[in-house]
Amino acid sequence: MSEFLLYFNIGLKHVLDSAAYDHVLFLMALVVPFTFKDWKKVLILVSLFTIGHTVALMLSVFEVVQIKATIVEFLIPITILITAGYHLFTAGKSAKKERISFVEIVTLSFGIIHGLGFSNYFKTILPGNATDKLLPLLEFALGIEGAQLIVVFVVLLLAYIAQSFFRFSKRDWALVLSAFIIGVVLPMLIESEIWNN
C-alpha cells in the first residue's frame, strides 16, 4: 500500500470509526438545516472544518500548541451541543446573507478543537521530525475530507427521504435531528473525565 493510501485511509477511519462517533455527530449537527440544493454551502462548511482540523494537527506536530487531552475531550461534545442547539433554536428561520457567517467561523474554530483531540494519537503514529510529518498530514486531511463528504451525503440523503417521503418539513427535520443529537451528546458531557479532576 502506498504511503498516500495509508494516511488517506487513516483519515477515513478517523471519521468513520463507529467507536469515535463524535465526529459524525458534529457533522450531523452542522448540516441538519441543509438540503442537496445547498451543496455549495455544505462543501464550504465541511472544508472549513477540515482546514481547522488540519491547522490544529500542524500546530500540535510543530509543538506550537499543547493542550491537556481531558480539556479537549470535554470541549468536543460542547462543540456538538452548541452546533445542535444553534440549529434547534434557529430551525425554520431564514439565514441572513453575510460574507462570513457565524456558522462558518464557529465551524473553523470547532475544527481546530476536534483536531487537537486527535493530535496526540496522530503524533504517535508518525515517525520522524515535524517536517517529515507534513506530507502525511495533508494525505490524512484528504482522507478526513473524503469521509466527511460521505457522512454529509448520507445525512442529506436521510433529510431528503424524511422530507420527501415522510413529509417532514425542513423545520421539523432540523428540530428532531438537533434534539436527537443533543440527547446523545449530553451523556458524553456528564460522563466526561474533566469532572474527576
Side-chain angles (χ1 to χ4, degrees), residues 18-48:
S18 61
Y21 55 90
D22 58 335
H23 208 124
V24 172
L25 279 176
F26 178 78
L27 290 168
M28 289 170 64
L30 184 64
V31 301
V32 72
F34 300 108
T35 61
F36 281 115
K37 70 178 178 147
D38 304 312
W39 69 270
K40 288 180 185 174
K41 176 81 169 174
V42 170
L43 184 60
I44 288 168
L45 289 173
V46 169
S47 297
L48 283 171

Side-chain angles (χ1 to χ4, degrees), residues 1-9 139:
M1 178 184 290
S2 75
E3 192 172 288
F4 169 78
L5 285 178
L6 173 70
Y7 292 112
F8 182 84
N9 282 331
E139 295 164 345

Side-chain angles (χ1 to χ4, degrees), residues 14-15 22-23 26-27 30 44-60 67 72 75-76 78-80 83 102-119 140-141 144-145 148:
H14 170 60
V15 175
D22 58 335
H23 208 124
F26 178 78
L27 290 168
L30 184 64
I44 288 168
L45 289 173
V46 169
S47 297
L48 283 171
F49 185 83
T50 303
I51 289 167
H53 199 279
T54 305
V55 165
L57 288 176
M58 286 177 134
L59 293 173
S60 179
I67 190 165
V72 174
L75 290 175
I76 288 173
I78 293 284
T79 66
I80 300 166
T83 306
F102 168 77
V103 175
E104 290 164 339
I105 292 167
V106 169
T107 300
L108 180 65
S109 304
F110 289 177
I112 292 170
I113 293 170
H114 283 246
L116 289 172
F118 190 68
S119 62
F140 173 78
I144 286 179
E145 184 77 356
Q148 290 182 154

Side-chain angles (χ1 to χ4, degrees), residues 3-14 53 57 60-61 115 117-130 132-141 144:
E3 192 172 288
F4 169 78
L5 285 178
L6 173 70
Y7 292 112
F8 182 84
N9 282 331
I10 291 172
L12 279 175
K13 290 176 183 171
H14 170 60
H53 199 279
L57 288 176
S60 179
V61 163
F118 190 68
S119 62
N120 289 332
Y121 174 73
F122 189 76
K123 287 191 289 188
T124 63
I125 64 171
L126 284 176
N129 61 36
D132 294 337
K133 298 177 183 183
L134 197 55
L135 184 59
L137 182 93
L138 296 175
E139 295 164 345
F140 173 78
I144 286 179

